[in-house]
Amino acid sequence: MSWTAEVGVEGRLAGLDAGHEAVLDARAELIADLRSVAGARVVEGGAPTEGAKGVPTDLLVALSGAGVVTGFVQIVKAWLQRDRRRSVTVTITESESGKVVRVEGDAISNDVLTAALSGQQQPPAPPQDPAAQGA
């Protein structure tokens, strides 16, 4: 386990405010599911969104190791599939390099999310790196 990633998760339901009871219930379900992933550390926190009156917007999950990543991906995918109105934004911050990757949508594939999470081990070189072009 040479890396850890801090993953921000924001779940939404289309057409509903963050403080709506259905959104709060869906968020509580997501938190409970994520806490069931062995090796994941789930922390609620962050500032409320404007007009949401105290509803936390940040859910942080610390991931380390392939098994934890797999469990996280399965939970997010299952959570999205339970209601077509659901969407999620997953923001991955790699602890060693500080690199940030953001994946969002309502039908995120396992492959895309796994690649984003696992790609933190070896970040790709920038596509237009002037040093690589001999500049």
Side-chain angles (χ1 to χ4, degrees), residues 24-116:
L24 296 175
D25 289 346
R27 185 178 189 281
E29 179 185 289
L30 179 59
I31 291 168
D33 289 349
L34 289 171
R35 286 192 170 138
S36 74
V37 177
R41 186 172 46 90
V42 180
V43 179
E44 296 178 68
T49 56
E50 188 174 322
K53 298 186 181 182
V55 177
T57 58
D58 292 334
L59 175 61
L60 299 176
V61 183
L63 305 175
S64 59
V68 181
V69 168
T70 299
F72 176 85
V73 169
Q74 290 172 346
I75 293 295
V76 169
K77 185 68 173 175
W79 185 82
L80 285 170
Q81 291 175 339
R82 288 184 195 134
D83 185 334
R84 289 182 181 215
R85 299 175 299 163
R86 291 182 180 186
S87 64
V88 70
T89 299
V90 177
T91 306
I92 304 124
T93 304
E94 204 275 333
S95 60
E96 292 177 18
S97 70
K99 179 181 175 183
V100 177
V101 176
R102 186 178 176 127
V103 178
E104 58 186 322
D106 56 6
I108 300 170
S109 76
N110 288 359
D111 292 341
V112 168
L113 191 51
T114 300

